[in-house]
Amino acid sequence: MGAMTSRAEAADMPNDQTETPDRLRRRASRLLSLISAQSDRLVSEGLGRLDARKWHYAVLASLQEYGPDSQATLSRRTGIYRSDMVGVLNELAERDFIERAPDPEDRRRNVITITTQGRQHLRRLDKILDDLHDELLAPLTSAEREQFTQTLTRLLDHHTRQAPHPPIS
């Protein structure tokens, strides 16, 4: 059991699936929950090896893809609460992965930009996440992985059109 797994999660993750009642094994919600817990544990532990967190990755990925942004826009794009965003940005700035500068159009707010060091760090995080996803999805073929990701994306898109996107935790 990983450090990030609660006792309740551990009790819900039987080691021998033959002992799990069939009606539980057929519940997509339960299966998604168990796989999500396993994924969260793998990602948290893997990113932790580089003293990084999921939020760091989310911010750097957003800045890399969309370019410099305000704190409010980063919060919306990543799903990170505004109150938590300040701490995340402070951590990234301390490591020289981002720069904050006053917005020339509105001096009351800052524009956040990824640095060269931030882009290099993002590439390292991408490599770790690629390896972790290979581990998580090991039993699936390449085609099955693509189909699985497309199916999950379709489900998420359907449900996020009906409700606001949950923050990353």
Side-chain angles (χ1 to χ4, degrees):
M1 175 169 64
M4 300 300 292
T5 305
S6 72
R7 287 181 191 215
E9 288 170 333
D12 205 22
M13 292 196 291
N15 290 330
D16 182 358
Q17 288 292 325
T18 60
E19 295 178 8
T20 303
D22 188 53
R23 69 176 1 125
L24 291 178
R25 290 180 51 87
R26 291 181 306 189
R27 295 289 174 200
S29 58
R30 181 176 185 271
L31 295 170
L32 285 169
S33 177
L34 293 173
I35 290 299
S36 176
Q38 179 69 7
S39 176
D40 282 347
R41 184 188 63 75
L42 280 172
V43 168
S44 292
E45 289 175 3
L47 293 177
R49 291 192 295 262
L50 285 181
D51 195 26
R53 297 184 297 143
K54 292 182 285 187
W55 290 0
H56 296 165
Y57 183 79
V59 168
L60 293 173
S62 181
L63 291 171
Q64 177 68 28
E65 186 166 335
Y66 296 107
D69 255 326
S70 71
Q71 183 174 313
T73 301
L74 280 172
S75 180
R76 282 191 303 276
R77 283 201 173 124
T78 61
I80 300 170
Y81 288 118
R82 283 183 176 196
S83 58
D84 294 327
M85 182 61 77
V86 173
V88 173
L89 295 177
N90 287 342
E91 291 170 2
L92 292 171
E94 287 169 7
R95 298 173 192 178
D96 295 323
F97 295 152
I98 63 161
E99 291 178 347
R100 290 184 258 204
D103 184 340
E105 295 176 18
D106 183 350
R107 308 289 287 168
R108 295 171 295 172
R109 66 180 197 172
N110 287 323
V111 173
I112 317 303
T113 305
I114 190 170
T115 64
T116 300
Q117 297 94 316
R119 284 190 287 280
Q120 291 168 349
H121 187 62
L122 181 59
R123 284 193 293 275
R124 288 189 297 271
L125 296 179
D126 277 331
K127 172 68 173 117
I128 284 178
L129 288 175
D130 288 346
D131 292 346
L132 293 170
H133 288 140
D134 284 345
E135 182 180 341
L136 181 69
L137 303 176
L140 304 180
T141 66
S142 180
E144 288 171 329
R145 290 175 187 202
E146 182 62 32
Q147 182 62 46
F148 182 65
T149 301
Q150 289 174 1
T151 301
L152 290 174
T153 301
R154 202 164 92 215
L155 284 168
L156 183 61
D157 289 348
H158 170 79
H159 290 288
T160 55
R161 277 194 294 271
Q162 297 176 13
H165 212 353
I168 296 174
S169 58

